[in-house]
Amino acid sequence: MPATPIPSSFLILQPRFNFNFKPILQSLDYQFSSSSAAFNGARNFFIPRFPLTSNARVHSNLSQATATESPSDNGSGGGRSGALSPGPVTGDVQKIDANPPKGTRDFPPEDMRMRNWLLNSFKEVSRLYGFEEVDFPVLESEALFVRKAGEEIKDQLYCFEDRGNRRVALRPELTPSLARLVIQKGKSLSLPLKWFTVGQCWRCERMTRGRRREHYQWNMDIIGVPGVMADAELISSIVTLLKRVGITKSDVGFKVSSRKVLQEVLRCYSIPDNLFGKVCIIIDKIEKIPSDDVKNELKALGISQDAVQELLEVLSISSLPELEERLGSSGEAVAELKELFSLADKFGYAEWLQFDASVVRGLSYYTGIVFEGFDREGKLRAICGGGRYDHLFSTFGGDDIPACGFGFGDAVIVELLKEKGLLLELSLQIENIVCALDLDLQGAASMVASMLREKGQTVDLVLESKPLKWVFKRAARINAQRLVLVGNSEWQRGMVGVKILSTGQQYEVKLDDLE
Amino acid sequence: MPATPIPSSFLILQPRFNFNFKPILQSLDYQFSSSSAAFNGARNFFIPRFPLTSNARVHSNLSQATATESPSDNGSGGGRSGALSPGPVTGDVQKIDANPPKGTRDFPPEDMRMRNWLLNSFKEVSRLYGFEEVDFPVLESEALFVRKAGEEIKDQLYCFEDRGNRRVALRPELTPSLARLVIQKGKSLSLPLKWFTVGQCWRCERMTRGRRREHYQWNMDIIGVPGVMADAELISSIVTLLKRVGITKSDVGFKVSSRKVLQEVLRCYSIPDNLFGKVCIIIDKIEKIPSDDVKNELKALGISQDAVQELLEVLSISSLPELEERLGSSGEAVAELKELFSLADKFGYAEWLQFDASVVRGLSYYTGIVFEGFDREGKLRAICGGGRYDHLFSTFGGDDIPACGFGFGDAVIVELLKEKGLLLELSLQIENIVCALDLDLQGAASMVASMLREKGQTVDLVLESKPLKWVFKRAARINAQRLVLVGNSEWQRGMVGVKILSTGQQYEVKLDDLE
């Protein structure tokens, strides 16, 4: 096999890169320095950050060279002779804002591990419940989200005209897209559908704790089941998720009501059904704006003083027997709520649930049971919310299908987990770090890495000539289980050196026996 | 325990739902019908679609009721007495387009399984290589993507002004965001970084086979390594991915070159470095537009006839020895390419690689090695592409750091897998289907489902009263391993009925012993 030539760019561009390259490392009888042992057994506690000062120097040198080079090269033909150190890509330097746009997030590795942990928990719970994952375009037709009930969501749309002059919007929620897909698929679908989505949504709104302009939302929906069993199953899945991430019933509860409570009151006062959505949206603001404003908005819809009074009184009820007393026991609202509490008992989450007539939720399409998860300390916004939307399909021009679902964002739950000290720092873990002890052996190290990866082992291959001290630091940072060293004399004998980093045990092993 | 009340909505809204509800199913000595046995052992082959005609009828009835109800209720107070069948959510029906916006996709369950399979393959390979996952906002500042080299990507931006009058864009690629994050994190990062992303990108362009306006892109980037080992490691990871999904070296190859080839030619003709990016972008169009147009565009930049001729001749070289003959062996271009081929041999993918000077790639920021994956039958666009971009950071106003990476979309590879017959139909698989044999036992079935889920078993809980024939069909559709039936007499004895669907074996088991 031909020896790997020393890369010329390495020598020309990075003369200082060899600064730490000690000839002793090329020795075949490599010794693990005693200082590196300090990393053993402390892998999850001590993950040092080391800014690699020698690298940093090289970079800033490079950068200066670029900066001085650009202006003189502009315009006339300033071709250079000598070493072909590449010039800047274009003539222009454009200082950018290094922060992500307002309300959005970057996910560096540590945050990404957290996001994956949470989003995978959503997915695992959904699969436990036998739900199938679906997704929809992030960019949807604006018309899908614009309803006439005065919802907050409409004013917060990220919408624009695309190059084909179509009005489009970044989805603020997932349910309308789901309804669109169900309508599109039509009779080819076997009901009931149990679908879940974990997807990004946008709302251009004022940012508060646990609310950004972009977030991930977990949705589960059951399409085609009219009975309360479906609503009960959904809440059960949320409880399972909460338990899985360490939340208990003393941290979180669910407020449950039914929009049919409001509907029954409205019908007593002969208020037309087509005002129902608007009334719900106004009433949902009851904790956000002064109650006189709520009253005035209701009156502006043409609802009488008496009806408004009755509505507000009923909304203050937080006991199911009291509701039954007020509305009678023949209506659907009371019957469904009673059934839900009975099922909650069977599912095993009755203690998480409480009736609260003031819960109506802020989306106009809900028709029946509605619920929201809240932190019992009352510090945060709703953790999740959902309900039954039996008529969304017909408002889109499709045939109605009974349906219910919920949305559960990734922001408030993380705030709560932080509050409760339940947010674990997840560390990177790579099984092997493979390192050549000699620049000439980088090809050999590549072979070793490839072999291990073919056996399913995760490998961080050291891509440069680095001192062993550096390699041990990196091994500690990535929580490597073992270090595989490719040295010249071992390699000639078909062997590599192995050090188990947790125990310090070190040995030589035949390449073929490396598992 | 209180019996589960029959949900009133069930009776009122869905009178025909009981159509198939046969009293015999309530019998304790349930028998599995012989017809259902046909589903045994055929679970991956025969997954029938059954449109549930009785359901469909109910739905269209509901829809008609809604349609006739709405107008009469509009305006004056048309309150109704009698059963509280909920009215439409709002007064307005707005027929929507059931298709996703042009160039975007829905992911119904079967497509989502495919997407998950492919995207998880990307992630698994990245982890094998010790890369850490990162992500960035989908909505970025427009300035991040607008370079002055005349790239196609700039004209295809989905960009708009947000509510705060900021110019924003849906990201067309991931690399600029990565560079932004690296600049933001600055010295807190330990180099080298090995980062990967699997994220959605948008380009508003004409759609062709394997190209939509929205796609998922897998990126792997190595930040802080100047040598060719990094480029070689990246191509190795792509080969690992391709092998994993069933693609061989006779299906796909990589064309490799270095932008330093062009640079060396340009410098021979004293063409200023600041034209380099623009020249690359023009040359990248060589297979898309007539060569006379390419020549004219180059001349318009002020490049002499001779230089253009030389450029085009060098670009036609597809043998490394020939290139060495032409450029001499002292330059970086030839040295790096030779090293790459040598390393490819060690990594074990030399046979996938071929030198082709015509490869320059369409992004202006590449500075060194560039490569693209192509199908050997020449039917499709590039499968993936990447290269070294050692100066992107300084064009953003940061310190330069040597870097390289690639992008690999989810569209062309799927086309290729289809071509090769390698795209498997992935079927849904849920371990258990749990069903109450009596409406009164739905709460009991919930308990059974909860128990199994707590043990980590996936469960599809039947949420309605359905005939056993329906349950068997559903079990077949979801590829359930076993059916757990909750019948009255068994339940009273603390038992449930189990049927193993692959063998037909059926037995009773104590609830506590159900694993």
Side-chain angles (χ1 to χ4, degrees):
Chain A
M1 271 174 288
T4 310
I6 294 171
S8 54
S9 67
F10 188 93
L11 296 176
I12 296 166
L13 278 178
Q14 308 283 350
R16 298 195 192 189
F17 255 63
N18 283 333
F19 175 72
N20 284 322
F21 189 82
K22 298 175 189 146
I24 196 169
L25 296 179
Q26 297 174 28
S27 150
L28 313 179
D29 307 316
Y30 51 83
Q31 290 295 321
F32 298 93
S33 71
S34 59
S35 73
S36 66
F39 291 100
N40 296 337
R43 302 188 329 186
N44 281 304
F45 306 98
F46 178 46
I47 304 175
R49 295 274 178 193
F50 27 95
L52 284 181
T53 48
S54 65
N55 260 8
R57 251 181 289 134
V58 171
H59 300 152
S60 73
N61 286 351
L62 264 177
S63 154
Q64 281 160 22
T66 303
T68 52
E69 188 182 343
S70 304
S72 70
D73 273 3
N74 254 349
S76 67
R80 295 168 306 161
S81 58
L84 277 168
S85 168
V89 178
T90 57
D92 51 321
V93 173
Q94 175 206 14
K95 179 101 180 157
I96 52 132
D97 183 354
N99 295 304
K102 198 175 169 187
T104 68
R105 284 173 291 178
D106 285 315
F107 292 91
E110 59 279 13
D111 296 349
M112 193 69 197
R113 283 193 289 274
M114 187 60 61
R115 170 177 133 186
N116 278 338
W117 167 77
L118 182 64
L119 270 46
N120 285 339
S121 301
F122 293 153
K123 292 175 188 180
E124 284 162 17
V125 168
S126 303
R127 290 193 187 109
L128 270 185
Y129 279 73
F131 280 58
E132 296 186 84
E133 191 171 1
V134 293
D135 199 5
F136 325 100
V138 157
L139 197 66
E140 280 273 18
S141 164
E142 184 184 26
L144 204 55
F145 306 112
V146 178
R147 296 175 293 264
K148 290 179 185 162
E151 293 164 294
E152 201 180 19
I153 208 168
K154 181 183 162 190
D155 302 320
Q156 298 171 340
L157 271 185
Y158 269 102
C159 51
F160 62 101
E161 209 158 73
D162 75 4
R163 286 169 193 260
N165 300 320
R166 283 171 291 259
R167 294 293 305 173
V168 289
L170 290 175
R171 62 185 180 195
E173 55 163 337
L174 299 164
T175 316
S177 299
L178 176 141
R180 182 183 55 63
L181 179 56
V182 170
I183 290 170
Q184 183 205 121
K185 290 276 173 186
K187 299 269 188 287
S188 73
L189 296 170
S190 309
L191 299 182
L193 305 172
K194 297 178 185 178
W195 282 0
F196 79 95
T197 305
V198 178
Q200 228 172 344
C201 297
W202 283 263
R203 293 192 190 184
C204 196
E205 62 181 329
R206 243 168 18 99
M207 284 176 293
T208 59
R209 186 174 176 200
R211 179 153 287 217
R212 287 175 307 266
R213 291 182 172 171
E214 150 281 311
H215 75 294
Y216 284 84
Q217 199 176 95
W218 172 37
N219 274 213
M220 287 177 79
D221 293 89
I222 300 174
I223 317 293
V225 178
V228 181
M229 266 291 272
D231 310 68
E233 171 96 330
L234 291 179
I235 299 173
S236 172
S237 65
I238 303 175
V239 171
T240 300
L241 181 282
L242 291 171
K243 284 182 180 170
R244 179 175 282 236
V245 299
I247 299 288
T248 67
K249 60 178 183 283
S250 57
D251 303 320
V252 166
F254 291 85
K255 291 177 185 168
V256 178
S257 184
S258 170
R259 286 222 172 153
K260 289 177 187 167
V261 171
L262 286 181
Q263 204 169 32
E264 292 181 20
V265 175
L266 292 177
R267 283 180 178 165
C268 282
Y269 287 86
S270 298
I271 294 159
D273 273 3
N274 64 326
L275 293 182
F276 180 62
K278 284 180 184 168
V279 169
C280 291
I281 295 310
I282 294 168
I283 282 172
D284 182 56
K285 301 181 204 162
I286 214 157
E287 287 181 354
K288 296 169 203 158
I289 65 173
S291 75
D292 278 352
D293 291 0
V294 170
K295 284 178 191 168
N296 290 336
E297 285 195 36
L298 289 172
K299 282 174 197 161
L301 274 190
I303 296 173
S304 70
Q305 176 97 30
D306 283 358
V308 169
Q309 192 56 34
E310 172 78 5
L311 272 175
L312 294 182
E313 277 179 34
V314 169
L315 286 170
S316 72
I317 297 172
S318 61
S319 131
L320 205 44
E322 194 185 331
L323 183 77
E324 187 167 2
E325 208 173 289
R326 188 97 176 201
L327 299 183
S329 49
S330 66
E332 285 179 16
V334 169
E336 290 180 6
L337 285 164
K338 282 165 83 174
E339 188 188 354
L340 180 64
F341 278 86
S342 161
L343 286 171
D345 186 51
K346 300 288 171 35
F347 272 105
Y349 61 83
E351 287 175 296
W352 296 68
L353 231 54
Q354 63 191 58
F355 170 69
D356 187 331
S358 74
V359 171
V360 289
R361 302 297 302 156
L363 296 166
S364 65
Y365 48 68
Y366 289 128
T367 52
I369 299 271
V370 280
F371 57 88
E372 64 185 40
F374 67 98
D375 70 304
R376 294 199 190 267
E377 290 187 42
K379 291 183 180 173
L380 303 167
R381 299 175 63 139
I383 294 163
C384 60
R388 180 161 284 282
Y389 53 93
D390 284 349
H391 290 296
L392 180 59
F393 295 90
S394 66
T395 63
F396 283 162
D399 288 349
D400 261 330
I401 313 176
C404 54
F406 69 81
F408 187 123
D410 70 333
V412 180
I413 185 68
V414 165
E415 290 302 316
L416 182 65
L417 290 169
K418 278 186 203 160
E419 282 276 337
K420 303 287 172 192
L422 292 166
L423 212 56
L424 303 169
E425 179 101 10
L426 301 165
S427 55
L428 174 64
Q429 294 201 307
I430 299 171
E431 288 158 320
N432 305 276
I433 182 163
V434 172
C435 183
L437 285 172
D438 190 325
L439 205 53
D440 283 348
L441 289 169
Q442 287 200 321
S446 313
M447 279 181 67
V448 174
S450 293
M451 265 191 53
L452 284 168
R453 288 163 178 163
E454 263 169 40
K455 290 174 179 170
Q457 294 264 327
T458 57
V459 176
D460 181 41
L461 175 60
V462 177
L463 301 168
E464 300 159 275
S465 256
K466 289 289 187 184
L468 261 189
K469 192 177 166 191
W470 184 96
V471 175
F472 275 105
K473 275 189 179 172
R474 183 160 179 100
R477 197 184 77 78
I478 68 175
N479 294 300
Q481 286 161 26
R482 65 179 171 181
L483 168 62
V484 180
L485 285 171
V486 183
N488 214 346
S489 83
E490 295 90 335
W491 187 248
Q492 280 170 7
R493 287 182 281 119
M495 313 280 279
V496 291
V498 170
K499 177 166 174 131
I500 306 299
L501 292 163
S502 56
T503 61
Q505 185 198 4
Q506 61 187 74
Y507 52 88
E508 286 186 7
V509 64
K510 266 201 169 157
L511 193 56
D512 296 338
D513 297 339
L514 192 64
E515 291 295 334
Chain B
M1 270 175 288
T4 309
I6 295 171
S8 54
S9 69
F10 190 94
L11 296 175
I12 296 165
L13 278 177
Q14 308 281 352
R16 297 194 192 191
F17 255 62
N18 283 333
F19 175 73
N20 283 323
F21 190 83
K22 296 172 192 150
I24 196 170
L25 297 180
Q26 298 174 26
S27 151
L28 313 179
D29 307 315
Y30 50 84
Q31 290 295 321
F32 298 93
S33 72
S34 60
S35 73
S36 66
F39 291 100
N40 296 336
R43 304 189 328 190
N44 282 304
F45 306 99
F46 177 46
I47 303 174
R49 295 274 178 192
F50 27 94
L52 285 181
T53 47
S54 65
N55 263 8
R57 252 181 289 135
V58 171
H59 301 150
S60 73
N61 286 352
L62 264 176
S63 153
Q64 281 162 23
T66 302
T68 52
E69 187 182 340
S70 305
S72 69
D73 274 1
N74 257 348
S76 66
R80 296 168 306 161
S81 59
L84 277 168
S85 169
V89 179
T90 57
D92 51 322
V93 174
Q94 174 206 16
K95 179 103 181 156
I96 52 133
D97 183 355
N99 295 304
K102 198 174 170 188
T104 69
R105 285 173 290 177
D106 286 315
F107 292 91
E110 59 278 14
D111 295 349
M112 193 69 198
R113 282 193 290 273
M114 187 59 63
R115 172 176 132 186
N116 278 337
W117 168 76
L118 183 63
L119 271 46
N120 285 338
S121 301
F122 292 153
K123 292 174 188 181
E124 283 162 18
V125 169
S126 304
R127 291 195 187 109
L128 269 186
Y129 279 73
F131 280 58
E132 296 187 83
E133 191 170 2
V134 294
D135 200 4
F136 324 99
V138 157
L139 198 65
E140 281 272 18
S141 162
E142 184 185 26
L144 204 57
F145 306 111
V146 177
R147 295 173 294 263
K148 291 179 183 162
E151 292 164 295
E152 201 180 21
I153 207 169
K154 182 182 158 188
D155 302 320
Q156 297 171 341
L157 271 186
Y158 269 101
C159 51
F160 62 100
E161 210 158 75
D162 75 4
R163 284 168 194 257
N165 298 321
R166 283 171 292 259
R167 293 293 306 172
V168 290
L170 290 174
R171 62 184 181 196
E173 53 164 336
L174 299 165
T175 316
S177 300
L178 176 141
R180 183 182 56 61
L181 179 56
V182 170
I183 290 170
Q184 183 206 121
K185 291 276 173 186
K187 299 268 190 286
S188 72
L189 296 170
S190 309
L191 299 181
L193 305 171
K194 297 178 185 177
W195 281 359
F196 79 95
T197 305
V198 178
Q200 227 171 346
C201 297
W202 283 262
R203 295 193 188 183
C204 195
E205 61 181 332
R206 244 169 19 97
M207 284 176 292
T208 59
R209 186 173 176 200
R211 181 153 284 217
R212 285 176 308 267
R213 292 183 172 170
E214 151 281 313
H215 75 295
Y216 284 84
Q217 199 176 94
W218 171 37
N219 274 215
M220 286 176 80
D221 293 88
I222 299 174
I223 318 292
V225 179
V228 181
M229 266 291 273
D231 310 69
E233 172 95 331
L234 291 178
I235 299 173
S236 173
S237 65
I238 302 175
V239 171
T240 301
L241 182 281
L242 291 171
K243 283 180 179 169
R244 180 175 280 236
V245 300
I247 297 289
T248 68
K249 59 178 184 283
S250 57
D251 302 320
V252 165
F254 290 87
K255 291 177 185 168
V256 178
S257 184
S258 170
R259 285 221 173 154
K260 290 177 184 168
V261 171
L262 286 181
Q263 204 169 31
E264 293 182 18
V265 175
L266 292 178
R267 283 179 177 167
C268 282
Y269 288 86
S270 298
I271 294 158
D273 272 4
N274 66 327
L275 293 182
F276 180 61
K278 284 181 183 166
V279 169
C280 290
I281 297 309
I282 293 168
I283 282 172
D284 182 57
K285 300 180 203 162
I286 215 157
E287 286 182 354
K288 295 168 203 159
I289 64 174
S291 73
D292 279 350
D293 291 358
V294 169
K295 286 177 191 167
N296 290 336
E297 286 194 35
L298 289 172
K299 283 175 196 158
L301 274 189
I303 296 173
S304 70
Q305 176 95 30
D306 282 358
V308 169
Q309 192 57 34
E310 171 77 5
L311 272 175
L312 296 180
E313 277 179 36
V314 169
L315 286 169
S316 71
I317 297 173
S318 59
S319 131
L320 205 43
E322 194 185 332
L323 184 76
E324 189 167 1
E325 207 172 291
R326 187 98 177 201
L327 298 184
S329 48
S330 65
E332 286 180 16
V334 169
E336 289 181 7
L337 285 164
K338 281 165 84 175
E339 189 189 353
L340 179 64
F341 278 86
S342 163
L343 286 171
D345 187 51
K346 300 287 171 35
F347 272 106
Y349 61 83
E351 288 175 296
W352 295 68
L353 230 56
Q354 64 191 58
F355 170 71
D356 188 330
S358 74
V359 171
V360 289
R361 303 297 302 156
L363 295 166
S364 66
Y365 49 68
Y366 289 129
T367 52
I369 299 272
V370 280
F371 56 87
E372 64 184 43
F374 67 98
D375 71 303
R376 295 198 189 269
E377 289 188 40
K379 290 183 180 173
L380 303 167
R381 298 175 64 139
I383 293 163
C384 60
R388 180 162 283 282
Y389 52 94
D390 284 349
H391 290 296
L392 180 59
F393 295 89
S394 66
T395 62
F396 283 161
D399 289 348
D400 261 330
I401 312 176
C404 55
F406 68 81
F408 187 123
D410 71 332
V412 179
I413 186 68
V414 165
E415 290 301 317
L416 182 65
L417 291 168
K418 277 185 201 160
E419 281 276 337
K420 304 287 173 191
L422 292 167
L423 213 56
L424 304 168
E425 179 101 12
L426 300 166
S427 55
L428 173 65
Q429 294 201 309
I430 299 172
E431 289 159 320
N432 304 276
I433 182 164
V434 172
C435 182
L437 286 171
D438 190 324
L439 205 52
D440 283 347
L441 288 169
Q442 286 200 322
S446 313
M447 279 182 67
V448 174
S450 294
M451 266 191 53
L452 283 168
R453 288 163 178 162
E454 264 169 39
K455 290 174 179 169
Q457 294 265 326
T458 57
V459 176
D460 181 42
L461 175 60
V462 177
L463 301 168
E464 301 159 276
S465 255
K466 290 290 187 184
L468 261 189
K469 191 177 168 189
W470 184 96
V471 175
F472 276 106
K473 276 188 178 172
R474 183 159 178 100
R477 197 184 76 78
I478 68 174
N479 294 299
Q481 285 160 25
R482 64 178 172 183
L483 169 61
V484 179
L485 285 171
V486 183
N488 214 345
S489 85
E490 294 91 334
W491 187 248
Q492 280 167 7
R493 286 181 282 117
M495 313 280 280
V496 292
V498 170
K499 177 167 174 131
I500 307 299
L501 292 162
S502 56
T503 61
Q505 184 198 3
Q506 62 188 74
Y507 52 87
E508 285 187 6
V509 64
K510 267 201 171 156
L511 193 55
D512 297 337
D513 297 339
L514 192 63
E515 292 293 331

